[in-house]
Amino acid sequence: MPTIYETDSLDEAIDIVQDENKRYPFILHKFDIGACQEKWTSDYLASKIGSKPVRIHVSQDDMMDFVRKNFTYETLPFNKLIHRCARTTNDEYFVSPNEHYYFRALGDNQRTDIANIEKHFPSIANDIKYPPLFSPEKFFSSVFRIGSANTQLWTHYDIMDNVLIQVHGTKRLIMFKPSDIDYLYIDGDKSLVNNIEQPDFDTYPLVRHATYYTGTLQSGDCLFIPALWFHNIKSLDTYSISLNVFWRHLNIGFYEPQDLYGNKDLIPFSRTIGQLAKSLNELDKQLPPVYVDFYIKRLRCYLDNYIKEYEKKIEN
Ligand SMILES: O=C(O)CCC(=O)C(=O)O
């Protein structure tokens, strides 16, 4: 199992992000992330942010599963949330005393606002610094995240680059390169394989072919998650506080402007799929079912060949 690359050098980190032939994940150590590392205790955050209501995921399971929805969305005042996350057992709860919490900040209007720590949590925003891996006009969002100990988020990819800054707690990292898409049973941007550490190989046999890149993110470290790299991240024995910053590495016009989560497909791809769906619909209307069935299978052969040729092209 390869490990995720690690470096202490900001210059090297910038080079890996900006050199189109590199762009692999890495953990950057020794970057000064600011006063947050000392200051962000649960009491400090509770007193600075107060009772602002925040929307959270709550689950009895330690592995949150977006596809099978083993969690509910709830709302808590921020100061209650942070104290509940900091404990493993709570007297006040939604489903059970040892339920798990996961907070991923959104904007004040959760349907339209893009998460931004400076706008939505201004009282703490100056405490944190992130490494200058991209030019400022490419910035998209800064997402404040807090989770209970031993809590895993589902495996997924994002369409934008991002850097995850770990302020408090330790995280276990598993990542897969984009070409492992064939082995991860993807539904949209998420994998159906929830227990990625011990997959059920009878149901998901192809996972055996995926290459697991593993690592550990400690307080003060920054993880570069390149666009399209699948990631599965779990907080370990203590609750976790992080911030991640998303940016648009390609031409800004390729990205959906209101992509709240940084995971909407790029516009050139959504156009392609839209045109294909329209053409298939027309085919279906014009021809009898036996021909449609035959031609959509021909289309699959066409795509399989196209992929083989494309793989050869990018190998050379
Ligand atoms: O650190 C986490 O809990 C998840 C981070 C993540 O999924 C992301 O940065 O896209």
Side-chain angles (χ1 to χ4, degrees):
M1 243 191 254
T3 52
I4 296 170
Y5 186 71
E6 305 190 31
T7 179
D8 291 346
S9 158
L10 177 61
D11 286 344
E12 187 186 18
I14 294 172
D15 177 58
I16 296 171
V17 172
Q18 296 186 357
D19 182 337
E20 291 300 322
N21 295 318
K22 297 186 180 156
R23 294 186 43 74
Y24 45 79
F26 58 79
I27 297 170
L28 172 64
H29 304 288
K30 298 194 177 159
F31 174 77
D32 173 14
I33 65 168
C36 57
Q37 217 183 331
E38 295 296 314
K39 275 190 174 170
W40 285 10
T41 61
S42 51
D43 285 341
Y44 172 86
L45 290 175
S47 75
K48 286 294 226 183
I49 298 170
S51 58
K52 179 183 168 91
V54 287
R55 197 130 171 86
I56 52 172
H57 305 69
V58 181
S59 180
Q60 274 181 287
D61 283 327
D62 55 352
M63 285 183 264
M64 301 236 176
D65 183 341
F66 191 87
V67 180
R68 296 166 199 88
K69 292 278 185 331
N70 64 351
F71 57 85
T72 55
Y73 292 104
E74 308 288 350
T75 301
L76 273 182
F78 181 88
N79 46 8
K80 281 204 172 180
L81 166 75
I82 184 89
H83 285 129
R84 285 205 201 178
C85 284
R87 291 189 286 257
T88 44
T89 307
N90 282 286
D91 296 335
E92 284 186 88
Y93 51 82
F94 293 99
V95 272
S96 75
N98 37 26
E99 63 198 12
H100 296 254
Y101 303 96
Y102 192 89
F103 165 60
R104 187 255 188 237
L106 291 166
D108 290 335
N109 180 333
Q110 305 191 350
R111 283 165 203 270
T112 54
D113 284 359
I114 292 164
N116 185 321
I117 192 168
E118 287 176 22
K119 276 195 206 145
H120 306 121
F121 299 92
S123 58
I124 57 156
N126 287 337
D127 295 341
I128 188 158
K129 292 193 255 175
Y130 56 86
L133 300 176
F134 59 96
S135 51
E137 73 281 3
K138 301 215 156 205
F139 171 87
F140 184 74
S141 63
S142 47
V143 182
F144 190 26
R145 292 178 189 262
I146 298 177
S148 307
N150 278 311
T151 305
Q152 176 192 293
L153 208 60
W154 49 87
T155 305
H156 66 280
Y157 71 91
D158 297 297
I159 209 72
M160 293 185 198
D161 282 357
N162 98 63
V163 60
L164 177 67
I165 301 140
Q166 189 62 17
V167 181
H168 176 82
T170 302
K171 280 175 171 164
R172 184 278 283 131
L173 312 169
I174 298 177
M175 299 184 74
F176 302 96
K177 55 186 179 307
S179 55
D180 277 354
I181 188 166
D182 287 341
Y183 312 135
L184 293 173
Y185 300 87
I186 294 302
D187 180 2
D189 60 333
K190 299 168 183 73
S191 168
L192 297 177
V193 190
N194 205 38
N195 188 349
I196 201 75
E197 283 185 74
Q198 288 173 308
D200 169 358
F201 289 119
D202 291 338
T203 313
Y204 305 114
L206 296 176
V207 180
R208 286 181 205 284
H209 305 295
T211 306
Y212 282 59
Y213 287 79
T214 59
T216 306
L217 199 65
Q218 309 278 359
S219 162
D221 289 342
C222 302
L223 171 70
F224 172 51
I225 309 179
L228 310 184
W229 275 74
F230 299 93
H231 43 286
N232 180 293
I233 301 186
K234 180 181 181 186
S235 57
L236 294 178
D237 48 359
T238 176
Y239 75 107
S240 160
I241 306 175
S242 353
L243 178 86
N244 62 343
V245 177
F246 286 89
W247 69 92
R248 294 167 288 199
H249 132 260
L250 299 177
N251 179 327
I252 289 179
F254 290 160
Y255 297 86
E256 292 284 352
Q258 275 311 107
D259 180 4
L260 299 189
Y261 294 93
N263 61 3
K264 286 209 160 98
D265 285 319
L266 292 179
I267 291 172
F269 178 73
S270 4
R271 270 202 208 122
T272 307
I273 287 285
Q275 286 159 357
L276 184 63
K278 212 168 138 208
S279 305
L280 287 172
N281 202 3
E282 269 163 31
L283 189 77
D284 193 7
K285 273 194 214 141
Q286 287 168 19
L287 298 178
V290 68
Y291 288 82
V292 177
D293 182 60
F294 179 78
Y295 277 127
I296 54 180
K297 286 172 182 155
R298 278 276 316 272
L299 181 65
R300 186 172 58 200
C301 296
Y302 173 82
L303 279 178
D304 283 344
N305 287 334
Y306 197 96
I307 291 169
K308 272 190 212 127
E309 290 303 312
Y310 199 78
E311 281 173 345
K312 270 193 228 150
K313 186 170 129 187
I314 56 176
E315 261 166 32
N316 299 328

